[in-house]
Amino acid sequence: MKNASDFQRSDNIVILGIETTCDETACAVVENSRKVISSVVSSQVELHAPYGGVVPEIASRAHLEMINPVISQTINRARTVLQSRQDNTSEFRIDAIAVANTPGLIGSLLVGLMAAKTLAWVWRVPLIGVNHLHAHAYAPALDAEPINYPAVALIASGGHTSLYFCQSCLDVELLGATIDDAAGEAFDKVSAILGLGYPGGPAIERAAKMGRADRIKFPRALLDEDSLDFSFSGIKTAVLYYVNGTPGAIRSGVTKGIEKLTEQDKADIAACFQAAMVDMMVIKLRRAAIAYKAKTLIIGGGVSANSALREAVCKLGEDIGAKVRLPALQYACDNAAMVAGLGYHYLQAGKIDDLQLDAIPTTRQ
Ligand code: KG4
Ligand code: ZN
């Protein structure tokens, strides 16, 4: 079996990544940290849609069904791409396996981790455990230029909302995180309140395009003056009360409810909610970028697909003179290319694991 030192040179290094932290079964092959050779993502959205959110038990069972087909498809595509290169007569090979082993749903994590350990053992290649959230902060480098550090990264998904100071892709320090709901969760719940469907982020974004963002002033929870934490449960309740009435008003006979809303009302509520969410995230990103003198602003995670957030972050970059790195849309949501890409840097730094590697579900990291 090869050691990490065998890879600390400039050869072509091909890493297979696996990602099963939540409800996407994903595998990818990435060359030299940034060139994505193949990337396959099998989404479970349809399985979870009837419940309005991810059901952990359903997620882990679906991963079990999909993991082998997704890995095979990824390898077949990668083999075709690599063998069709005229300058590459060598055999198709994988140099290491990177797997997102933290944080995530424990049942889901275990499926990807077991697959990764099996491949590493069978192929006698190093196993690399990668932090899923740090991988999101690396995603803008895929199929693109290297990231210029120091950077601050806002990672916002269905399960997490975290702010990081990154001195490099390996040196990642948590500055703040949500103290209650994740940003994506707030999008999903408000979409459910408005009857717009699941997943909520894209549904809210579509509705917001038709709405007026200045009609309702929803609260922006900013916590202490210099806090870098987030709180999104208040805005969710504010939307709920706006739509259904406060408990006091309901008791005194004031009737409200979704059936009283026109399509335009729903669009306006979506636009005002989205504007408040974007404000809360961008204000914290600005605070962190200034405090840590960041050269680059990074966003990642499913919520980073939101075009209002992307525009606001680009504007922030212009205002404070920082470069902005957005992930390509296919790498904003969960994918394994970001895991394989970051895995390359772990490998070069000698950060490899053995077959005892654990799945760690913890969220604040
Ligand atoms: O990163 P991700 O794919 O999976 C998790 O690790 O959770 O993020 C999924 C989350 C969901 O809550 C979804 O509603 C949200 O990202 N999302 C969006 C958009 N697209 C996905 N939120 C806002 N705007 C979007 N366009
Ligand atoms: Zn994610």
Side-chain angles (χ1 to χ4, degrees):
M1 174 155 156
K2 287 185 179 178
N3 294 314
S5 56
D6 296 326
F7 296 96
Q8 286 157 357
R9 44 196 164 83
S10 56
D11 285 350
N12 266 8
I13 293 176
V14 180
I15 298 191
L16 182 133
I18 295 179
E19 149 66 45
T20 60
T21 56
C22 187
D23 62 337
E24 262 96 27
T25 315
C27 183
V29 170
V30 175
E31 186 178 45
N32 293 338
S33 81
R34 288 182 291 113
K35 179 143 191 46
V36 181
I37 306 296
S38 74
S39 174
V40 176
V41 179
S42 165
S43 167
Q44 303 176 3
V45 158
E46 282 176 18
L47 297 179
H48 301 289
Y51 306 94
V54 176
V55 183
E57 184 58 26
I58 294 177
S60 34
R61 283 168 192 265
H63 283 308
L64 268 180
E65 281 174 25
M66 290 313 295
I67 189 78
N68 286 349
V70 165
I71 292 173
S72 305
Q73 206 183 339
T74 308
I75 291 176
N76 289 341
R77 283 193 199 169
R79 184 180 280 120
T80 311
V81 172
L82 289 173
Q83 289 183 343
S84 68
R85 281 189 190 162
Q86 289 175 348
D87 58 344
N88 188 352
T89 49
S90 63
E91 256 185 66
F92 171 73
R93 61 160 219 287
I94 297 290
D95 293 306
I97 310 292
V99 59
N101 70 313
T102 188
L105 301 170
I106 186 66
S108 295
L109 287 167
L110 283 170
V111 176
L113 184 58
M114 287 312 296
K117 286 182 180 179
T118 307
L119 290 176
W121 184 73
V122 170
W123 288 339
R124 296 278 184 258
V125 293
L127 174 70
I128 307 159
V130 169
N131 181 306
H132 166 83
L133 298 174
H134 300 184
H136 272 303
Y138 184 75
L142 296 170
D143 290 333
E145 292 299 306
I147 294 168
N148 198 7
Y149 294 99
V152 291
L154 167 76
I155 306 304
S157 68
H160 303 92
T161 305
S162 308
L163 205 48
Y164 294 103
F165 176 50
C166 313
Q167 306 217 47
S168 73
C169 62
L170 298 173
D171 188 347
V172 178
E173 180 193 342
L174 182 68
L175 301 177
T178 180
I179 59 167
D180 41 52
D181 295 350
E185 190 182 346
F187 272 93
D188 292 336
K189 299 228 168 101
V190 166
S191 179
I193 293 169
L194 295 175
L196 298 175
Y198 177 84
I204 293 274
E205 182 173 348
R206 269 193 305 278
K209 287 209 163 81
M210 319 301 287
R212 274 183 42 197
D214 59 355
R215 194 176 136 192
I216 315 143
K217 183 91 179 151
F218 286 124
R220 274 90 168 139
L222 298 175
L223 308 170
D224 291 342
E225 207 174 292
D226 49 4
S227 168
L228 295 174
D229 285 333
F230 302 88
S231 169
F232 299 117
S233 66
I235 188 169
K236 186 184 68 184
T237 310
V239 175
L240 184 71
Y241 286 176
Y242 186 87
V243 172
N244 290 334
T246 58
I250 293 169
R251 272 196 301 276
S252 57
V254 178
T255 53
K256 286 184 103 179
I258 185 156
E259 58 290 343
K260 297 230 155 62
L261 299 178
T262 63
E263 288 309 305
Q264 189 58 51
D265 290 333
K266 289 185 195 172
D268 291 346
I269 296 169
C272 296
F273 162 76
Q274 180 175 271
M277 291 296 292
V278 168
D279 270 0
M280 286 187 271
M281 289 186 276
V282 170
I283 287 170
K284 299 299 167 98
L285 188 61
R286 170 190 278 270
R287 271 184 199 167
I290 292 171
Y292 286 83
K293 299 185 173 47
K295 287 186 184 154
T296 303
L297 307 177
I298 294 170
I299 57 172
V303 180
S304 73
N306 185 278
S307 55
L309 177 64
R310 292 168 88 92
E311 275 167 33
V313 172
C314 289
K315 176 154 186 320
L316 171 61
E318 277 171 28
D319 284 356
I320 64 172
K323 204 169 161 59
V324 172
R325 297 299 302 270
L326 308 172
L329 284 180
Q330 70 269 31
Y331 305 131
C333 292
D334 287 346
N335 68 88
M338 64 185 189
V339 174
L342 183 56
Y344 170 95
H345 295 279
Y346 281 43
L347 185 67
Q348 295 287 29
K351 288 178 68 174
I352 63 172
D353 295 286
D354 58 27
L355 295 178
Q356 306 301 317
L357 180 66
D358 260 338
I360 306 167
T362 333
T363 52
R364 196 175 170 102
Q365 53 176 301

